[in-house]
Amino acid sequence: AGVGTEKLAGDCLACCREAAAVERFESAQLIADASQQDRDQDLHDFIKRKAPLFPRLEVVYQEGASPAIELERSDQPDRIVRADVSGWKSEHLFQFASERLEKDETDEAERAKAEAAATKPQGAWTAEIQSCSG
């Protein structure tokens, strides 16, 4: 019974592969046309609310540019990895930056707090009712 089980397990695991390690980069630039934010609410949300959470990410505006993230490493100055992010949802941009950019350990706690605030749904408005007696 043990030999058959081992063969079955071997056959089952034959096609499995370990997940590839995600390469991290020291810095990145989000390149976009400033007017693109008027047409793409997710890009606007990411730039205004989430990009500031990444000290290693710089937003660069270039007229006519399609939204893209360029990733760089100082130990490979001639190599730039470019990802076309046209049409990406704000949360996908956030996830991509989180996975690809190296983290600053000193900023980790502050970033977690800011991330929670940035991803919490925002209400349209709030009001406080006060009554006057007199």
Side-chain angles (χ1 to χ4, degrees), residues 5 12 14 27 33 36-37 42 57-60 66 73 75 92 96 100 109 115 129:
T5 305
C12 179
S27 64
D33 184 332
Q36 179 84 22
Q37 292 185 70
D42 282 295
L57 176 67
E58 177 185 7
V59 177
V60 177
S66 179
R73 298 175 57 105
D75 62 345
H92 297 150
F96 183 82
R100 298 294 178 162
E115 175 182 338
I129 299 174

Side-chain angles (χ1 to χ4, degrees), residues 8-82:
L8 179 61
D11 290 346
C12 179
L13 297 173
C15 63
C16 296
R17 296 187 184 111
E18 281 189 40
V22 174
E23 184 178 6
R24 292 197 177 266
F25 295 84
E26 293 172 12
S27 64
Q29 290 185 338
L30 171 60
I31 301 166
D33 184 332
S35 66
Q36 179 84 22
Q37 292 185 70
D38 296 336
R39 300 181 302 274
D40 187 339
Q41 187 61 39
D42 282 295
L43 180 64
H44 176 78
D45 177 68
F46 180 78
I47 290 173
K48 296 300 179 196
R49 294 180 53 218
K50 297 174 183 167
L53 303 176
F54 298 96
R56 297 174 180 263
L57 176 67
E58 177 185 7
V59 177
V60 177
Y61 295 105
Q62 291 180 0
E63 190 173 341
S66 179
I69 295 179
E70 291 185 348
L71 302 154
E72 301 178 62
R73 298 175 57 105
S74 63
D75 62 345
Q76 298 175 328
D78 297 332
R79 178 175 175 239
I80 296 175
V81 175
R82 183 179 175 97

